[in-house]
Structures are given as structure tokens and as C-alpha cells.
Amino acid sequence: MRALRLSKRVTAVDARVASPSADGGARFSKRLTEEWLFRATLYNSLRAWVAARRSLWLRVPRVLEADPRELRIDYERLDGWTPLRNVIRDRAFERHSTDALRRTFWTIGAALEELHRHTRRIHGDFDFDNILVKPSEGKVAFIDFTPPVYARFRDYNRADPYLDIATFILVVRAKYPPHRLYLALRSRLRAFALAFMEGYFRADPAKYDASALERALGEVLERTYLGESFAGRYLRRTRLFRIDDLMPGT
Ligand SMILES: Nc1ncnc2c1ncn2[C@@H]1O[C@H](COP(=O)(O)OP(=O)(O)OP(=O)(O)O)[C@@H](O)[C@H]1O
Ligand SMILES: [Mg+2]
């Protein structure tokens, strides 16, 4: 029933020819370069939005309009939300308290699990630029459901959920430019990565499978630019890449 309503909605949105945004910039417009990217992004965004409506922790911007000729999708713009990148790449985590940050990371884990469960898809590019946070909100927002450049297959998002988990762990613990690698050594990062795992496995910590995470980390490092980066190569040999301290419930 739900799936039927979703597909009707896509047709309705799709068939409309959009006019330029007239409402003073309350939208965020995204132009895709290829037809298949436009379609995949639109379907993924609508699917995720439906999932978010049933979620406690997840928010996804609504699709306001989609123009198949211009390959453009207009989203509700989330004002006052910050990409998680800004928080992580700031030396003092933008002065948020440890408790607030731990809660935010827990919520990101819980929201990711909801996305996986409700859509039966993975995000596929679960990077810190694609997660928006707002300290006063109980939810976190996920954006950018466009297939990433390193996606080899059109059904890239039907893959192992541990790939999203691994991408996030790598980004939090190791994605720093060489001249700012000291940021990776902040001890709070370990606590935040663990809070994320606790959020994801909140219903059943025993479901966590360390070897699945290990495999997914290897795959992400092999398949994406993260392994090529200086930090990827350097940090791989250090204790930062240990995952035995990421077991939820410890
Ligand atoms: N609905 C939205 N509301 C507010 N900001 C948004 C919204 N969607 C995207 N953004 C901002 O724009 C940035 C880029 O958007 P998005 O991640 O969808 O595109 P992208 O494919 O990663 O593009 P690029 O690689 O060119 O940045 C995001 O990191 C975020 O900061
Ligand atoms: Mg993005």
C-alpha cells in the first residue's frame, strides 16, 4: 500500500514541469548531470522521506518539485542545520558539550538504523557532509541520496548495511587532511564513534557483528578515495583503526 502511494507520488511529481523557485529561497535545488542519476536520486529521496515520517530520530528534507527536463530536484531547505563536517573538523567541536555530542552521535546511529530498516536500502555515501545536525533538535537529518561517483552498480544501495557504518566510522576517526591529522587524535572521537554504534544497535547490542564491520572497513578503504588518502594509508597502521573498542554495550 505504502509502495503504491510512493510510486503514484513519483509520477505526479515527475510529470510536472517546474518553474524557477519563486518563494524567496526556501528551497535547495540540486541539478543532476544524467537522467539515471536524476531518477535514482528522486526515488531514493522519496523513499528516505517516507521512512523519516515513520522515524523517531531521522529527518529527511521533503521533495518539493522535480523537473525531469532540467534534471533538477527542489528540496525543502533546512535552515539553521549544520553539516556534521563543521562540528567534526572544528578543533573544539564547536564548543558543544561532550554530552550533547554523544547524544548527537547516538542519534545518528539510531537514525541510520531506522533508514536501513524502513527502506531496506543503505545510504551509500554516509559521509559527514551528508548529515545535518541542529543541537536543539532531537533528530538528525540525512541528505544527498545521489549515487556516489564510486558506486559501480545501479543497485549500489542494496548492499551490506555495514558499509554505511564503516564509512561513518572512517570519516569520524580518520578523514582529516594531512596538515590537520592531529585532529584524529582527540580522545573524544572514540567515545563519539562508540555512541554512534550504541545508537545503531540500541535494540539489540548482541546483533553487532565485528567481523562484518571489519570486512566493510576493508571494502570501503579499497573501493573509495578514503583508502587512497594520506590519512587512510597512515592511520590504517595505527591503533585508531582498531575496532575492538567499538562494541556496543561495553
Ligand atoms: N535540503 C537542504 N537544506 C539545507 N542544506 C542542504 C540541503 N541539501 C543539501 N544541502 C547542503 O548542500 C551541500 C551539498 O548538497 P548534496 O550533499 O546534496 O550534494 P552533493 O552531491 O554532495 O554536491 P557537491 O558534491 O557538489 O557538494 C550539503 O553538504 C549541505 O551542506
Ligand atoms: Mg553530499
Side-chain angles (χ1 to χ4, degrees):
M1 193 58 202
R2 228 165 234 290
L4 190 67
R5 277 212 304 273
L6 177 64
S7 67
K8 273 191 182 153
R9 194 183 153 74
V10 173
T11 318
V13 172
D14 232 16
R16 224 182 307 158
V17 178
S19 55
S21 153
D23 51 358
R27 30 184 83 191
F28 177 89
S29 299
K30 186 164 185 173
R31 277 257 173 121
L32 285 310
T33 50
E34 289 174 51
E35 163 86 19
W36 82 273
L37 282 174
F38 168 79
R39 291 207 166 264
T41 304
L42 182 58
Y43 275 93
N44 292 342
S45 303
L46 292 171
R47 207 183 277 119
W49 180 74
V50 169
R53 294 216 307 171
R54 302 163 64 198
S55 299
L56 278 175
W57 312 108
L58 175 63
R59 172 146 182 202
V60 169
R62 182 196 271 265
V63 172
L64 301 175
E65 201 144 13
D67 184 334
R69 286 191 213 167
E70 290 190 1
L71 305 182
R72 195 194 76 233
I73 305 174
D74 294 343
Y75 295 93
E76 155 198 16
R77 197 177 72 200
L78 299 184
D79 288 316
W81 292 69
T82 319
L84 186 69
R85 164 198 284 268
N86 297 0
V87 179
I88 292 184
R89 286 277 178 92
D90 184 72
R91 201 163 165 255
F93 298 103
E94 294 197 324
R95 299 189 184 280
H96 295 299
S97 72
T98 303
D99 272 358
L101 288 166
R102 216 184 256 138
R103 217 166 29 246
T104 300
F105 280 82
W106 188 97
T107 307
I108 294 169
L112 181 65
E113 187 277 333
E114 286 183 313
L115 178 80
H116 288 167
R117 184 156 40 89
H118 292 320
T119 65
R120 302 189 172 278
R121 303 284 194 290
I122 66 168
H123 182 284
D125 190 13
F126 202 56
D127 197 337
F128 52 20
D129 288 316
N130 298 330
I131 300 166
L132 305 181
V133 298
K134 189 176 187 178
S136 57
E137 292 275 336
K139 294 188 176 186
V140 294
F142 296 170
I143 57 167
D144 194 359
F145 296 93
T146 302
V149 281
Y150 48 81
R152 285 190 209 145
F153 309 102
R154 288 191 182 203
D155 58 353
Y156 72 98
N157 59 358
R158 289 181 190 267
D160 182 3
Y162 276 91
L163 289 171
D164 278 349
I165 299 177
T167 304
F168 187 76
I169 296 293
L170 281 170
V171 159
V172 170
R173 299 191 79 171
K175 192 175 169 185
Y176 302 95
H179 64 286
R180 302 188 74 200
L181 208 51
Y182 61 90
L183 292 175
L185 303 172
R186 292 168 297 177
S187 60
R188 281 201 276 172
L189 288 176
R190 179 197 165 273
F192 298 155
L194 181 59
F196 163 77
M197 297 299 281
E198 304 262 8
Y200 190 93
F201 291 99
R202 70 201 176 286
D204 187 3
K207 268 201 174 157
Y208 169 64
D209 178 351
S211 57
L213 179 59
E214 190 95 62
R215 264 199 310 279
L217 282 166
E219 198 176 325
V220 173
L221 284 170
E222 227 166 78
R223 208 169 41 120
T224 74
Y225 64 94
L226 283 169
E228 308 259 295
S229 74
F230 173 76
R233 285 199 310 272
Y234 170 73
L235 295 173
R236 209 169 179 176
R237 293 194 298 270
T238 74
R239 62 176 300 283
L240 290 175
F241 266 67
R242 276 175 37 187
I243 59 160
D244 54 333
D245 55 2
L246 289 179
M247 172 116 59
T250 52

